[in-house]
Amino acid sequence: MEPMRQARSLTGRALLGGCLFLISARQAGAMHIMEGFLPPEWCGFWFLAALPFWLAGYRRIKSIVARRQETLMLLGVAGAYIFVLSALKIPSVTGSCSHPTGTGLGVILFGPAVVSILSAIVLFFQALMLAHGGLTTLGANTVAMGIAGPLLGWLFWRILRRRAPEGVAVFMATMAADLSTYFVTAVQLAAAYPAREGGVGRSLVTFLGIFAVTQIPLALIEGFLTVLIVRSLGRNAPETLALLGVPETPSGAGEEAA
Amino acid sequence: MESSISKNHLGLSLGKNPLLVAAVLILVVAPLYVRRGADFAGADDSARNAISEIRPGYQPWIKPLWEPPGGEIASLLFSLQSAAGAGFIGYYFGLQRGRRKAAENRPDDAKRQRAATSRD
């Protein structure tokens, strides 16, 4: 009973704190960990954690390039989708802004390893050109956006794609990838900055209050958008999707045309 | 027969798409109404402040190599980023649609040609 209430009051305080900060904050920014805000040892740790996925992704992309022009174009679409969505800062019910990740589409089409590369490219661009995220935090931000999120999204996709209507499977996978990205960002910050009292757990509540709550409506938006784009891919490029093993054309145009 | 095929392949049966677009629009616009007066800053600013609360006096140990000089330049670069992405996606869908149409028309042409030659 007591810990429950404590946790709730902590969440409340974190939320209130977040709202107050938002009023004082002027400079707009991205939702990745900023340059210089992750201690060097943690930067190194997350780079090491990302490395095996980058290698696996690099190998898969090489085989995609060697195999077929069609799939290469679709790889470009998956990357472009991340470019678009991660540039859109969207208002949320917390009164602050955040941006979607756009990784859901790539996860469904190519799996998490490839997305770790696509995400790293976008994160690198944003770190260099926009001072968003950072070069030293590229490893940590890739683990959150390009690996942990996509892994969970992929899990949802694998479980649901034959058991649920395609739209539902796409929606859930995208939501899972988006939300867990910001969950992992909060974990990374909490691990680096444990609170004096309450340690990592308390910091986690603080950072989750900032990132996760803001992100919920954005994850819904990203889910809907990804359903839209997968549906139109099914209409316009059914053969390419079939090559990648995305099941059946989405209900709609495909069936009506038959 | 042929006309019914081409009609179906106009790709205009959108199904649930308008509903999905409406849901997205509502989710984007609703916060502006619910949170009137908020300034909708980025969530990472709150993170930055939370860090300085946990570690008072924390200074970033490294600075970005380059920062866009001012908010307008930053938003210019953000627009470029999404324009490039959207441009490529639009190119891909246009290309696929064109290819599909061309593939649909080809059998008709072949038939017409055959009909033309048999008449001679």
Side-chain angles (χ1 to χ4, degrees), chain A residues 80-101:
Chain A
Y81 190 65
I82 299 178
F83 250 72
V84 176
L85 286 205
S86 63
L88 298 178
K89 278 172 276 177
I90 297 172
S92 176
V93 283
T94 51
S96 59
C97 272
S98 186
H99 64 73
T101 62

Side-chain angles (χ1 to χ4, degrees), chain A residues 22 25-27 30 36-38 70 83-84 86 93 95-97 126 129-132 193 210 231 235 256, chain B residues 13-14 17 35 39-41 43-45 48 55 58 60-61 66-67 77-78 81 85-86 88 92 99-100:
Chain A
L22 287 167
R26 277 276 154 259
Q27 201 192 343
F37 277 86
L38 201 60
E70 294 304 303
F83 250 72
V84 176
S86 63
V93 283
S96 59
C97 272
Q126 291 197 327
M129 301 294 296
L130 295 153
H132 267 284
Y193 301 103
I210 293 166
R231 279 168 60 96
R235 250 200 314 276
E256 281 153 37
Chain B
S13 56
L14 292 174
N17 287 6
R35 288 277 171 168
D39 69 351
F40 294 100
D44 61 342
D45 290 318
R48 195 173 310 177
R55 291 272 182 285
Y58 181 86
W61 62 276
W66 183 78
E67 258 177 291
L77 290 166
F78 270 113
Q81 184 188 331
F88 186 82
Y92 180 77
R99 278 186 185 163
R100 208 191 51 208

Side-chain angles (χ1 to χ4, degrees), chain A residues 6-195:
Chain A
Q6 214 176 349
R8 217 179 306 152
S9 84
L10 273 178
T11 320
R13 241 181 288 164
L15 274 177
L16 185 69
C19 293
L20 286 175
F21 288 144
L22 287 167
I23 293 163
S24 59
R26 277 276 154 259
Q27 201 192 343
M31 290 66 231
H32 311 294
I33 302 177
M34 301 75 67
E35 194 84 281
F37 277 86
L38 201 60
E41 62 272 22
W42 280 106
C43 294
F45 173 80
W46 293 116
F47 265 107
L48 284 180
L51 202 60
F53 291 90
W54 277 334
L55 288 176
Y58 173 72
R59 239 185 273 152
R60 278 223 50 198
I61 287 178
K62 245 174 69 178
S63 82
I64 288 169
V65 171
R67 208 171 44 199
R68 265 194 85 135
Q69 188 72 26
E70 294 304 303
T71 348
L72 183 60
M73 289 285 285
L74 209 51
L75 184 70
V77 171
Y81 190 65
I82 299 178
F83 250 72
V84 176
L85 286 205
S86 63
L88 298 178
K89 278 172 276 177
I90 297 172
S92 176
V93 283
T94 51
S96 59
C97 272
S98 186
H99 64 73
T101 62
T103 51
L105 180 66
V107 166
I108 287 161
L109 296 178
F110 297 103
V114 169
V115 175
S116 78
I117 299 274
L118 297 178
S119 302
I121 292 169
V122 177
L123 286 167
F124 182 76
F125 170 82
Q126 291 197 327
L128 210 60
M129 301 294 296
L130 295 153
H132 267 284
L135 296 175
T136 58
T137 54
L138 190 67
N141 289 331
T142 301
V143 167
M145 177 182 163
I147 295 169
L151 274 175
L152 194 72
W154 191 67
L155 196 70
F156 268 79
W157 171 246
R158 298 297 293 201
I159 293 170
L160 290 175
R161 68 172 186 171
R162 306 223 180 271
R163 293 179 181 81
E166 189 190 58
V168 174
V170 170
F171 181 77
M172 293 303 293
T174 306
M175 279 257 301
D178 182 315
L179 280 180
S180 53
T181 292
Y182 291 89
F183 182 83
V184 173
T185 303
V187 170
Q188 289 169 328
L189 283 172
Y193 301 103

Side-chain angles (χ1 to χ4, degrees), chain B residues 7-8 15-16 19 28-29 35 50 57 59 62 75 79 82 100 104 115 119:
Chain B
K7 203 169 93 193
N8 282 328
K16 293 179 203 120
L19 275 178
V28 173
V29 174
R35 288 277 171 168
Q59 287 298 318
I62 187 166
S75 70
S79 328
S82 57
R100 208 191 51 208
E104 276 160 26
R119 229 178 284 140

Side-chain angles (χ1 to χ4, degrees), chain B residues 82-119:
Chain B
S82 57
F88 186 82
I89 293 173
Y91 169 76
Y92 180 77
F93 278 110
L95 182 70
Q96 287 299 333
R97 195 178 151 85
R99 278 186 185 163
R100 208 191 51 208
K101 292 242 161 183
E104 276 160 26
N105 289 333
R106 220 169 288 134
D108 295 357
D109 292 347
K111 245 177 271 170
R112 230 173 285 134
Q113 270 177 357
R114 235 175 290 134
T117 44
S118 64
R119 229 178 284 140

